[in-house]
Amino acid sequence: MVSMLEVVLLLVVLAALVGAYRVVNAVKPFVVNAVVGLVTLFVAQAVFGVDVAITPLTLLVVAIGGFPGALLVLLLSVSGVAFVPGLLAAGALA
C-alpha cells in the first residue's frame, strides 16, 4: 500500500524535475550566445590581433548580446574606450 509520504515525495520530485527543466531552457540561449561570442572574440584575436580583456563584464555582455555583443566589445576595445587589457594591467581604472 502506498503511504501519504511516498505520494508527497513523488510530487516533490516531479516539481523539482519540472523546475530544473525550465531553468535549463531559460539558461540555454545565454550559454549559446556566450560560446558564439567568445569564439568571435578569440577568432578576432587570432586573425586580426585585436587585444580584448576577457573579464566578467565582457562575458556578461557577450552572453546577453551574442555575436552583436562580441562586435560591440571588439569595437570598444579597438577604439580604446573599454575592454582594453593595458588599462586593466596599468591600474588606470583604479
Side-chain angles (χ1 to χ4, degrees):
M1 181 150 208
V2 178
S3 70
M4 187 61 139
L5 180 62
E6 290 174 340
V7 172
V8 170
L9 286 176
L10 179 65
L11 291 175
V12 168
V13 168
L14 286 175
L17 286 174
V18 169
Y21 176 76
R22 288 187 179 186
V23 167
V24 167
N25 278 341
V27 172
K28 193 184 312 184
F30 293 111
V31 172
V32 171
N33 280 347
V35 169
V36 169
L38 286 175
V39 167
T40 303
L41 291 179
F42 288 128
V43 167
Q45 287 180 353
V47 174
F48 300 111
V50 178
D51 286 329
V52 177
I54 305 296
T55 62
L57 181 61
T58 306
L59 294 176
L60 181 65
V61 170
V62 169
I64 292 173
F67 183 75
L71 291 180
L72 175 67
V73 167
L74 288 171
L75 178 68
L76 291 173
S77 178
V78 168
S79 64
V81 174
F83 308 111
V84 180
L87 288 177
L88 294 174
L93 298 177

